């Protein structure tokens, strides 16, 4: 069943790219970023799930219940939004959330909750000019995930305590995901030779020491540039 869902999801992604972004495959750097982001996202999530099943944590029912909310689901969509664009970020969010739901064997409510969180995180990463905005995007994804966790908890009759724990866990992990994206971006830019809006915006900072020196030593070149 899991293999079937995974293959269908991959097929859907390939058809989507062929229809909407037929030239995407020729951009090897950005296609590699998408693939690597998804693989890293799933790898980290798999690690969290494996740790949760060990003897150290597996016997704690509270932690076991928190596991679905401890996964950095918005990581790949946020990275792809910043480096590639909204269309691929949307596809990445859908694929990543389906893979996570399949990995955990959870119901449609968890899939919808994680998809809403991932899409909100990606939405707030559009046109990121200041790197600190990525943390804000993570916080907004966490807020969305927290609201969805509360709704799912109340609808299933889990009670205030459990639903509140799920909401807090979702918010904290999403903020951590934003920090993880922030730390990964310089490495991605350097490895794949891509420039994000944040990098270009930093290069236009008139307070940059090199630009200030040029303004003093070569004002003609400075104004011409």
């Amino acid at each position: 069943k899991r293999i079937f869902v995974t293959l269908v999801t991959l097929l859907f992604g390939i058809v989507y790219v062929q229809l909407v972004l037929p030239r995407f495959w020729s951009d090897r750097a950005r296609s590699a970023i998408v693939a690597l982001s998804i693989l890293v996202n799933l790898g980290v999530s798999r690690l969290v799930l494996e740790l949760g099943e060990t003897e150290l944590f597996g016997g704690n029912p509270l932690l076991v219940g928190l596991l679905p909310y401890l996964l950095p689901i918005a990581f790949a969509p946020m990275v792809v939004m910043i480096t590639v664009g909204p269309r691929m970020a949307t596809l990445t969010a859908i694929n990543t959330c389906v893979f996570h739901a399949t990995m955990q064997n959870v119901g449609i409510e968890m899939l919808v909750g994680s998809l809403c969180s991932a899409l909100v995180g990606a939405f707030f990463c559009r046109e990121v000019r200041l790197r600190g905005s990525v943390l804000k995007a993570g916080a907004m994804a966490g807020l969305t995930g927290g609201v969805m966790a509360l709704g799912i908890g109340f609808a299933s009759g889990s009670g205030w305590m459990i639903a509140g724990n799920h909401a807090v866990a979702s918010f904290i992990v999403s903020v951590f995901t934003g920090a993880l994206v922030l730390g990964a971006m310089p490495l991605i830019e350097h490895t794949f030779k891509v420039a994000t809006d944040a990098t270009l915006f930093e290069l236009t900072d008139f307070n940059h020491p090199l630009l200030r020196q040029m303004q003093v030593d070569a004002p003609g070149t400075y104004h011409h540039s």
Side-chain angles (χ1 to χ4, degrees):
K1 177 181 176 181
R2 295 183 181 184
I3 296 176
F4 174 74
V5 172
T6 301
L7 291 177
V8 170
T9 304
L10 288 174
L11 180 61
F12 164 77
I14 293 173
V15 172
Y16 174 87
V17 173
Q18 286 296 114
L19 291 175
V20 180
L21 300 167
R23 297 182 181 179
F24 177 74
W25 302 118
S26 61
D27 192 339
R28 295 184 179 180
R30 285 178 168 76
S31 58
I33 290 174
V34 173
L36 182 62
S37 299
I38 293 176
L39 290 176
V40 170
N41 202 158
L42 295 177
V44 173
S45 297
R46 184 72 260 176
L47 178 62
V48 173
L49 292 175
E50 290 294 333
L51 290 175
E53 295 174 358
T54 59
E55 295 182 358
L56 183 61
F57 300 106
N60 188 335
L62 178 61
L63 181 60
V64 173
L66 285 176
L67 282 177
Y69 302 93
L70 297 178
L71 308 182
I73 293 175
F75 175 80
M78 290 170 67
V79 169
V80 175
M81 173 63 87
I82 296 172
T83 56
V84 180
R87 293 180 179 179
M88 281 307 302
T90 302
L91 177 62
T92 301
I94 295 173
N95 284 356
T96 304
C97 291
V98 171
F99 292 152
H100 275 93
T102 305
M103 185 187 302
Q104 302 171 80
N105 196 26
V106 295
I108 186 65
E109 65 278 358
M110 289 299 302
L111 173 61
V112 172
S114 61
L115 182 58
C116 289
S117 179
L119 288 175
V120 168
F123 176 80
F124 280 93
C125 280
R126 72 193 194 287
E127 299 181 358
V128 171
R129 293 177 178 266
L130 298 176
R131 297 190 185 273
S133 300
V134 179
L135 294 178
K136 176 184 176 182
M140 295 305 297
L143 183 62
T144 303
V147 172
M148 294 299 296
L150 288 174
I152 293 173
F154 294 152
S156 61
S158 299
W160 283 92
M161 182 66 69
I162 296 178
N165 289 337
H166 292 172
V168 172
S170 179
F171 179 79
I172 293 175
V173 169
S174 294
V175 173
F176 173 76
T177 301
L180 192 62
V181 172
L182 187 61
M185 288 314 304
L187 180 61
I188 294 174
E189 290 178 279
H190 177 75
T191 302
F192 296 98
K193 308 300 181 184
V194 297
T196 63
D197 290 343
T199 301
L200 297 176
F201 185 74
E202 289 171 356
L203 293 176
T204 63
D205 183 10
F206 295 121
N207 292 320
H208 192 283
L210 184 60
L211 289 178
R212 296 180 68 177
Q213 183 180 356
M214 182 186 292
Q215 188 177 17
V216 175
D217 296 341
T221 303
Y222 172 83
H223 290 293
H224 178 72
S225 300

